[in-house]
PDB file of all heavy atoms in Angstrom:
ATOM      1  N   THR L  10       3.491  11.440  16.305  1.00 95.00           N
ATOM      2  CA  THR L  10       4.548  11.037  15.378  1.00 95.00           C
ATOM      3  C   THR L  10       4.397   9.594  14.907  1.00 95.00           C
ATOM      4  O   THR L  10       4.451   9.305  13.708  1.00 95.00           O
ATOM      5  CB  THR L  10       5.924  11.215  16.045  1.00 95.00           C
ATOM      6  OG1 THR L  10       6.103  12.593  16.351  1.00 95.00           O
ATOM      7  CG2 THR L  10       7.038  10.741  15.131  1.00 95.00           C
ATOM      8  N   ALA L  11       4.221   8.672  15.837  1.00 97.00           N
ATOM      9  CA  ALA L  11       4.145   7.254  15.494  1.00 97.00           C
ATOM     10  C   ALA L  11       2.950   6.960  14.591  1.00 97.00           C
ATOM     11  O   ALA L  11       3.072   6.256  13.576  1.00 97.00           O
ATOM     12  CB  ALA L  11       4.077   6.415  16.758  1.00 97.00           C
ATOM     13  N   THR L  12       1.794   7.492  14.943  1.00 98.00           N
ATOM     14  CA  THR L  12       0.577   7.240  14.168  1.00 98.00           C
ATOM     15  C   THR L  12       0.688   7.797  12.759  1.00 98.00           C
ATOM     16  O   THR L  12       0.278   7.152  11.786  1.00 98.00           O
ATOM     17  CB  THR L  12      -0.653   7.835  14.871  1.00 98.00           C
ATOM     18  OG1 THR L  12      -0.746   7.301  16.193  1.00 98.00           O
ATOM     19  CG2 THR L  12      -1.921   7.533  14.114  1.00 98.00           C
ATOM     20  N   VAL L  13       1.245   8.982  12.635  1.00 98.00           N
ATOM     21  CA  VAL L  13       1.405   9.599  11.316  1.00 98.00           C
ATOM     22  C   VAL L  13       2.320   8.747  10.443  1.00 98.00           C
ATOM     23  O   VAL L  13       1.991   8.436   9.291  1.00 98.00           O
ATOM     24  CB  VAL L  13       1.969  11.030  11.445  1.00 98.00           C
ATOM     25  CG1 VAL L  13       2.440  11.556  10.091  1.00 98.00           C
ATOM     26  CG2 VAL L  13       0.921  11.965  12.032  1.00 98.00           C
ATOM     27  N   ALA L  14       3.469   8.357  10.972  1.00 98.00           N
ATOM     28  CA  ALA L  14       4.406   7.541  10.203  1.00 98.00           C
ATOM     29  C   ALA L  14       3.769   6.220   9.781  1.00 98.00           C
ATOM     30  O   ALA L  14       3.915   5.768   8.633  1.00 98.00           O
ATOM     31  CB  ALA L  14       5.667   7.283  11.024  1.00 98.00           C
ATOM     32  N   GLN L  15       3.045   5.603  10.702  1.00 98.00           N
ATOM     33  CA  GLN L  15       2.401   4.321  10.392  1.00 98.00           C
ATOM     34  C   GLN L  15       1.323   4.485   9.336  1.00 98.00           C
ATOM     35  O   GLN L  15       1.219   3.669   8.409  1.00 98.00           O
ATOM     36  CB  GLN L  15       1.815   3.718  11.667  1.00 98.00           C
ATOM     37  CG  GLN L  15       2.870   3.237  12.647  1.00 98.00           C
ATOM     38  CD  GLN L  15       2.270   2.677  13.921  1.00 98.00           C
ATOM     39  OE1 GLN L  15       1.177   3.053  14.330  1.00 98.00           O
ATOM     40  NE2 GLN L  15       2.982   1.769  14.571  1.00 98.00           N
ATOM     41  N   ASN L  16       0.516   5.530   9.440  1.00 98.00           N
ATOM     42  CA  ASN L  16      -0.556   5.739   8.475  1.00 98.00           C
ATOM     43  C   ASN L  16      -0.013   6.008   7.078  1.00 98.00           C
ATOM     44  O   ASN L  16      -0.566   5.528   6.083  1.00 98.00           O
ATOM     45  CB  ASN L  16      -1.462   6.888   8.922  1.00 98.00           C
ATOM     46  CG  ASN L  16      -2.375   6.493  10.072  1.00 98.00           C
ATOM     47  OD1 ASN L  16      -2.467   5.324  10.423  1.00 98.00           O
ATOM     48  ND2 ASN L  16      -3.051   7.468  10.668  1.00 98.00           N
ATOM     49  N   VAL L  17       1.062   6.781   6.989  1.00 98.00           N
ATOM     50  CA  VAL L  17       1.664   7.060   5.685  1.00 98.00           C
ATOM     51  C   VAL L  17       2.144   5.765   5.037  1.00 98.00           C
ATOM     52  O   VAL L  17       1.873   5.498   3.854  1.00 98.00           O
ATOM     53  CB  VAL L  17       2.846   8.046   5.821  1.00 98.00           C
ATOM     54  CG1 VAL L  17       3.637   8.129   4.511  1.00 98.00           C
ATOM     55  CG2 VAL L  17       2.341   9.429   6.206  1.00 98.00           C
ATOM     56  N   LEU L  18       2.837   4.938   5.807  1.00 98.00           N
ATOM     57  CA  LEU L  18       3.368   3.691   5.253  1.00 98.00           C
ATOM     58  C   LEU L  18       2.247   2.713   4.907  1.00 98.00           C
ATOM     59  O   LEU L  18       2.291   2.056   3.851  1.00 98.00           O
ATOM     60  CB  LEU L  18       4.348   3.055   6.232  1.00 98.00           C
ATOM     61  CG  LEU L  18       5.059   1.792   5.733  1.00 98.00           C
ATOM     62  CD1 LEU L  18       5.805   2.061   4.426  1.00 98.00           C
ATOM     63  CD2 LEU L  18       6.022   1.255   6.792  1.00 98.00           C
ATOM     64  N   LYS L  19       1.240   2.613   5.759  1.00 98.00           N
ATOM     65  CA  LYS L  19       0.110   1.729   5.466  1.00 98.00           C
ATOM     66  C   LYS L  19      -0.604   2.152   4.189  1.00 98.00           C
ATOM     67  O   LYS L  19      -0.928   1.322   3.330  1.00 98.00           O
ATOM     68  CB  LYS L  19      -0.889   1.729   6.635  1.00 98.00           C
ATOM     69  CG  LYS L  19      -0.420   1.010   7.882  1.00 98.00           C
ATOM     70  CD  LYS L  19      -1.443   1.155   8.999  1.00 98.00           C
ATOM     71  CE  LYS L  19      -0.993   0.487  10.283  1.00 98.00           C
ATOM     72  NZ  LYS L  19      -1.969   0.695  11.383  1.00 98.00           N
ATOM     73  N   GLY L  20      -0.855   3.438   4.042  1.00 98.00           N
ATOM     74  CA  GLY L  20      -1.520   3.932   2.844  1.00 98.00           C
ATOM     75  C   GLY L  20      -0.703   3.654   1.599  1.00 98.00           C
ATOM     76  O   GLY L  20      -1.243   3.243   0.560  1.00 98.00           O
ATOM     77  N   ALA L  21       0.616   3.875   1.711  1.00 98.00           N
ATOM     78  CA  ALA L  21       1.504   3.645   0.576  1.00 98.00           C
ATOM     79  C   ALA L  21       1.511   2.175   0.173  1.00 98.00           C
ATOM     80  O   ALA L  21       1.385   1.830  -1.011  1.00 98.00           O
ATOM     81  CB  ALA L  21       2.914   4.117   0.916  1.00 98.00           C
ATOM     82  N   MET L  22       1.645   1.291   1.148  1.00 98.00           N
ATOM     83  CA  MET L  22       1.768  -0.130   0.828  1.00 98.00           C
ATOM     84  C   MET L  22       0.445  -0.739   0.365  1.00 98.00           C
ATOM     85  O   MET L  22       0.437  -1.613  -0.505  1.00 98.00           O
ATOM     86  CB  MET L  22       2.315  -0.901   2.028  1.00 98.00           C
ATOM     87  CG  MET L  22       3.763  -0.556   2.368  1.00 98.00           C
ATOM     88  SD  MET L  22       4.892  -0.493   0.936  1.00 98.00           S
ATOM     89  CE  MET L  22       4.615  -2.089   0.180  1.00 98.00           C
ATOM     90  N   ASP L  23      -0.662  -0.281   0.906  1.00 98.00           N
ATOM     91  CA  ASP L  23      -1.948  -0.776   0.424  1.00 98.00           C
ATOM     92  C   ASP L  23      -2.173  -0.340  -1.022  1.00 98.00           C
ATOM     93  O   ASP L  23      -2.690  -1.111  -1.848  1.00 98.00           O
ATOM     94  CB  ASP L  23      -3.082  -0.275   1.313  1.00 98.00           C
ATOM     95  CG  ASP L  23      -3.136  -1.013   2.648  1.00 98.00           C
ATOM     96  OD1 ASP L  23      -2.399  -2.002   2.818  1.00 98.00           O
ATOM     97  OD2 ASP L  23      -3.923  -0.580   3.523  1.00 98.00           O
ATOM     98  N   ALA L  24      -1.778   0.899  -1.334  1.00 98.00           N
ATOM     99  CA  ALA L  24      -1.895   1.384  -2.706  1.00 98.00           C
ATOM    100  C   ALA L  24      -0.991   0.582  -3.635  1.00 98.00           C
ATOM    101  O   ALA L  24      -1.379   0.228  -4.758  1.00 98.00           O
ATOM    102  CB  ALA L  24      -1.525   2.865  -2.777  1.00 98.00           C
ATOM    103  N   TYR L  25       0.206   0.249  -3.170  1.00 98.00           N
ATOM    104  CA  TYR L  25       1.141  -0.535  -3.977  1.00 98.00           C
ATOM    105  C   TYR L  25       0.572  -1.920  -4.268  1.00 98.00           C
ATOM    106  O   TYR L  25       0.624  -2.404  -5.410  1.00 98.00           O
ATOM    107  CB  TYR L  25       2.471  -0.656  -3.240  1.00 98.00           C
ATOM    108  CG  TYR L  25       3.530  -1.395  -4.030  1.00 98.00           C
ATOM    109  CD1 TYR L  25       4.220  -0.760  -5.058  1.00 98.00           C
ATOM    110  CD2 TYR L  25       3.831  -2.721  -3.754  1.00 98.00           C
ATOM    111  CE1 TYR L  25       5.178  -1.432  -5.795  1.00 98.00           C
ATOM    112  CE2 TYR L  25       4.793  -3.409  -4.483  1.00 98.00           C
ATOM    113  CZ  TYR L  25       5.463  -2.758  -5.499  1.00 98.00           C
ATOM    114  OH  TYR L  25       6.406  -3.426  -6.232  1.00 98.00           O
ATOM    115  N   ARG L  26       0.005  -2.532  -3.256  1.00 98.00           N
ATOM    116  CA  ARG L  26      -0.550  -3.879  -3.448  1.00 98.00           C
ATOM    117  C   ARG L  26      -1.749  -3.866  -4.392  1.00 98.00           C
ATOM    118  O   ARG L  26      -1.967  -4.823  -5.148  1.00 98.00           O
ATOM    119  CB  ARG L  26      -0.918  -4.484  -2.096  1.00 98.00           C
ATOM    120  CG  ARG L  26       0.319  -4.912  -1.301  1.00 98.00           C
ATOM    121  CD  ARG L  26      -0.025  -5.575   0.018  1.00 98.00           C
ATOM    122  NE  ARG L  26       1.178  -6.158   0.619  1.00 98.00           N
ATOM    123  CZ  ARG L  26       1.190  -6.826   1.771  1.00 98.00           C
ATOM    124  NH1 ARG L  26       0.059  -6.995   2.455  1.00 98.00           N
ATOM    125  NH2 ARG L  26       2.326  -7.330   2.244  1.00 98.00           N
ATOM    126  N   THR L  27      -2.507  -2.786  -4.377  1.00 98.00           N
ATOM    127  CA  THR L  27      -3.612  -2.667  -5.324  1.00 98.00           C
ATOM    128  C   THR L  27      -3.089  -2.607  -6.749  1.00 98.00           C
ATOM    129  O   THR L  27      -3.617  -3.261  -7.652  1.00 98.00           O
ATOM    130  CB  THR L  27      -4.452  -1.414  -5.025  1.00 98.00           C
ATOM    131  OG1 THR L  27      -5.048  -1.538  -3.735  1.00 98.00           O
ATOM    132  CG2 THR L  27      -5.551  -1.222  -6.061  1.00 98.00           C
ATOM    133  N   GLN L  28      -2.020  -1.820  -6.962  1.00 97.00           N
ATOM    134  CA  GLN L  28      -1.457  -1.705  -8.300  1.00 97.00           C
ATOM    135  C   GLN L  28      -0.810  -3.017  -8.753  1.00 97.00           C
ATOM    136  O   GLN L  28      -0.861  -3.358  -9.932  1.00 97.00           O
ATOM    137  CB  GLN L  28      -0.448  -0.563  -8.347  1.00 97.00           C
ATOM    138  CG  GLN L  28      -1.027   0.804  -8.021  1.00 97.00           C
ATOM    139  CD  GLN L  28      -2.267   1.140  -8.823  1.00 97.00           C
ATOM    140  OE1 GLN L  28      -3.324   1.424  -8.270  1.00 97.00           O
ATOM    141  NE2 GLN L  28      -2.146   1.105 -10.140  1.00 97.00           N
ATOM    142  N   VAL L  29      -0.233  -3.751  -7.822  1.00 97.00           N
ATOM    143  CA  VAL L  29       0.324  -5.071  -8.151  1.00 97.00           C
ATOM    144  C   VAL L  29      -0.797  -6.002  -8.600  1.00 97.00           C
ATOM    145  O   VAL L  29      -0.657  -6.752  -9.585  1.00 97.00           O
ATOM    146  CB  VAL L  29       1.073  -5.669  -6.940  1.00 97.00           C
ATOM    147  CG1 VAL L  29       1.402  -7.142  -7.184  1.00 97.00           C
ATOM    148  CG2 VAL L  29       2.351  -4.882  -6.674  1.00 97.00           C
ATOM    149  N   PHE L  30      -1.920  -5.949  -7.885  1.00 97.00           N
ATOM    150  CA  PHE L  30      -3.078  -6.760  -8.259  1.00 97.00           C
ATOM    151  C   PHE L  30      -3.542  -6.424  -9.671  1.00 97.00           C
ATOM    152  O   PHE L  30      -3.828  -7.324 -10.485  1.00 97.00           O
ATOM    153  CB  PHE L  30      -4.212  -6.534  -7.254  1.00 97.00           C
ATOM    154  CG  PHE L  30      -5.523  -7.145  -7.655  1.00 97.00           C
ATOM    155  CD1 PHE L  30      -5.761  -8.497  -7.474  1.00 97.00           C
ATOM    156  CD2 PHE L  30      -6.510  -6.368  -8.226  1.00 97.00           C
ATOM    157  CE1 PHE L  30      -6.970  -9.063  -7.854  1.00 97.00           C
ATOM    158  CE2 PHE L  30      -7.725  -6.923  -8.610  1.00 97.00           C
ATOM    159  CZ  PHE L  30      -7.954  -8.279  -8.425  1.00 97.00           C
ATOM    160  N   LEU L  31      -3.618  -5.144  -9.985  1.00 97.00           N
ATOM    161  CA  LEU L  31      -4.048  -4.719 -11.317  1.00 97.00           C
ATOM    162  C   LEU L  31      -3.053  -5.165 -12.382  1.00 97.00           C
ATOM    163  O   LEU L  31      -3.441  -5.582 -13.476  1.00 97.00           O
ATOM    164  CB  LEU L  31      -4.214  -3.197 -11.350  1.00 97.00           C
ATOM    165  CG  LEU L  31      -5.376  -2.634 -10.532  1.00 97.00           C
ATOM    166  CD1 LEU L  31      -5.346  -1.113 -10.553  1.00 97.00           C
ATOM    167  CD2 LEU L  31      -6.708  -3.155 -11.064  1.00 97.00           C
ATOM    168  N   GLN L  32      -1.764  -5.086 -12.043  1.00 96.00           N
ATOM    169  CA  GLN L  32      -0.750  -5.504 -13.003  1.00 96.00           C
ATOM    170  C   GLN L  32      -0.846  -6.996 -13.302  1.00 96.00           C
ATOM    171  O   GLN L  32      -0.697  -7.426 -14.451  1.00 96.00           O
ATOM    172  CB  GLN L  32       0.648  -5.156 -12.474  1.00 96.00           C
ATOM    173  CG  GLN L  32       1.769  -5.511 -13.449  1.00 96.00           C
ATOM    174  CD  GLN L  32       3.081  -4.882 -13.056  1.00 96.00           C
ATOM    175  OE1 GLN L  32       3.328  -3.709 -13.297  1.00 96.00           O
ATOM    176  NE2 GLN L  32       3.952  -5.659 -12.426  1.00 96.00           N
ATOM    177  N   LYS L  33      -1.102  -7.784 -12.282  1.00 96.00           N
ATOM    178  CA  LYS L  33      -1.241  -9.225 -12.477  1.00 96.00           C
ATOM    179  C   LYS L  33      -2.444  -9.563 -13.358  1.00 96.00           C
ATOM    180  O   LYS L  33      -2.482 -10.613 -14.001  1.00 96.00           O
ATOM    181  CB  LYS L  33      -1.373  -9.929 -11.125  1.00 96.00           C
ATOM    182  CG  LYS L  33      -0.081  -9.982 -10.327  1.00 96.00           C
ATOM    183  CD  LYS L  33      -0.281 -10.668  -9.005  1.00 96.00           C
ATOM    184  CE  LYS L  33       1.024 -10.753  -8.222  1.00 96.00           C
ATOM    185  NZ  LYS L  33       0.840 -11.392  -6.889  1.00 96.00           N
ATOM    186  N   ASN L  34      -3.429  -8.658 -13.365  1.00 97.00           N
ATOM    187  CA  ASN L  34      -4.614  -8.855 -14.193  1.00 97.00           C
ATOM    188  C   ASN L  34      -4.539  -8.051 -15.491  1.00 97.00           C
ATOM    189  O   ASN L  34      -5.562  -7.800 -16.138  1.00 97.00           O
ATOM    190  CB  ASN L  34      -5.866  -8.470 -13.405  1.00 97.00           C
ATOM    191  CG  ASN L  34      -6.231  -9.505 -12.359  1.00 97.00           C
ATOM    192  OD1 ASN L  34      -6.923 -10.474 -12.651  1.00 97.00           O
ATOM    193  ND2 ASN L  34      -5.754  -9.316 -11.133  1.00 97.00           N
TER     194      ASN L  34
END
């Protein structure tokens, strides 16, 4: 349970930060 929840959130937030980077550029 813990690993799954953490992996989902990590994947989501890393993807979000990538899109923020693209938006800034």
Side-chain angles (χ1 to χ4, degrees):
T10 298
T12 304
V13 167
Q15 290 178 333
N16 285 350
V17 169
L18 184 56
K19 288 176 182 177
M22 292 314 307
D23 285 352
Y25 183 78
R26 286 183 171 181
T27 297
Q28 299 309 123
V29 168
F30 171 80
L31 291 175
Q32 182 167 281
K33 287 179 179 178
N34 286 274

